[in-house]
Amino acid sequence: MFSTKFIEKLKHAQKVAVLTGAGISAESGVPTFRGEDGLWNKFRPEELANFNAFQKNPKLVWEWYNYRRKLIHEVKPNPGHFALAEMEQMFPVFTLITQNVDNLHRVAGSQIIIELHGNIMRNRCVDCNKIYREIDIEFESSVPVCRCGGLMRPDVVWFGEMLPEDAILCAFQAAQECEVFLSVGTSALVQPAASLPIEAHASGAFVVEINVERTAISRYIDESIIGKSGEILPLLINKIKEK
Ligand code: BJW
Ligand code: ZN
């Protein structure tokens, strides 16, 4: 399953970077965005995760986020999240970059996390940008309103919006400087996150993806390991601990 070259690279690496996507949370019971038969899969993510959709039908977009928030409260991190939290302690420089908004890496114990697409537990006023934490809001009613009268939206990054500047700068820097880069549970279709493994590869890193199927980047990287991240990542840790 793991090539000798990959394990040797990882055993000797000083700087490791990991990009995660929705697939890492799939084994926790969080639906991925693409290619499933979920309740919301009659909508493509592009149709709900954008500001125009919110302006046109804020109630529908809130319902989608309320559904997901409720679900996330009910689930727990899986062995894949825990393995990455353990890996943070194993390398001198370890950068965890996630596209996920579900907070599960933090719950699993990862301490430094670059959240490229925001966090579903935070909300923000579209007019004055005031940040509200989830507990400040009554969710069962329709779209919550800020004290200034503006509509509140989840503090996440929608299509057509810029990613947080610090986050994207740090992520690209980590991709350029690391020796090993892992792309875990992402379809690698959404930019600019999908460019990170490619950037890492172009900068000389050994790039490996872990996914249940091949993805948009498979042919541009060093190795694809086909399997569930909640199973593969713990095995990988055991392997690099071997003398
Ligand atoms: C498992 C598994 C298991 C399952 N184990 N694996 C360049 C070219 C073309 C387009 C663009 C471009 N640059 C920018 C764009 C536009 C756009 C974009 O990328 N469009 C593409 C769709 C073509 N990007 C943007 O708009 C971004 N902004 C930007 O670039 O700003 C500058 C700019 C502005 C205006 C014009 C041009 C430039 C912003 C993107 C924001 C994405 N937001 C979302 C929603 C976040 C909030 C929320 O969660 O609601 O982010 S969309 C959604 O997709 C979410 C995810 O983070 C993201 C990525 O999805 P992910 O994680 O890969 O999930 P899936 O479902 O796709 O894949 C899951 C994978 O797991 C699969 O591969 C499974 O096989 C696997 N899997 N079980 C391991 N057990
Ligand atoms: Zn406001």
Side-chain angles (χ1 to χ4, degrees), residues 12-34:
H12 295 109
Q14 302 290 306
K15 296 183 180 178
V16 173
V18 180
L19 170 70
T20 64
I24 190 142
S25 298
E27 288 156 85
S28 293
V30 182
T32 59
F33 289 91
R34 296 165 184 87

Side-chain angles (χ1 to χ4, degrees), residues 125-130 132 146-150:
C125 170
V126 296
D127 287 341
C128 72
N129 280 325
K130 181 173 160 54
Y132 287 81
C146 174
R147 255 182 259 145
C148 81

Side-chain angles (χ1 to χ4, degrees), residues 24-90:
I24 190 142
S25 298
E27 288 156 85
S28 293
V30 182
T32 59
F33 289 91
R34 296 165 184 87
E36 273 199 14
D37 280 338
L39 178 61
W40 287 90
N41 276 45
K42 56 181 189 238
F43 298 99
R44 290 166 57 235
E46 291 81 353
E47 289 172 37
L48 291 168
N50 76 74
F51 192 68
N52 284 346
F54 181 72
Q55 276 186 313
K56 214 165 104 195
N57 194 344
K59 196 163 178 295
L60 175 76
V61 175
W62 262 104
E63 278 170 11
W64 185 46
Y65 280 94
N66 280 349
Y67 159 77
R68 291 173 54 203
R69 256 187 283 251
K70 187 164 176 290
L71 195 140
I72 286 163
H73 278 301
E74 288 163 4
V75 303
K76 293 189 173 67
N78 66 59
H81 296 103
F82 288 118
L84 291 177
E86 192 178 343
M87 280 173 89
E88 186 173 30
Q89 309 301 323
M90 294 171 74

Side-chain angles (χ1 to χ4, degrees), residues 190-201:
V190 174
Q191 298 291 350
S195 296
L196 289 165
I198 305 299
E199 181 76 11
H201 193 255

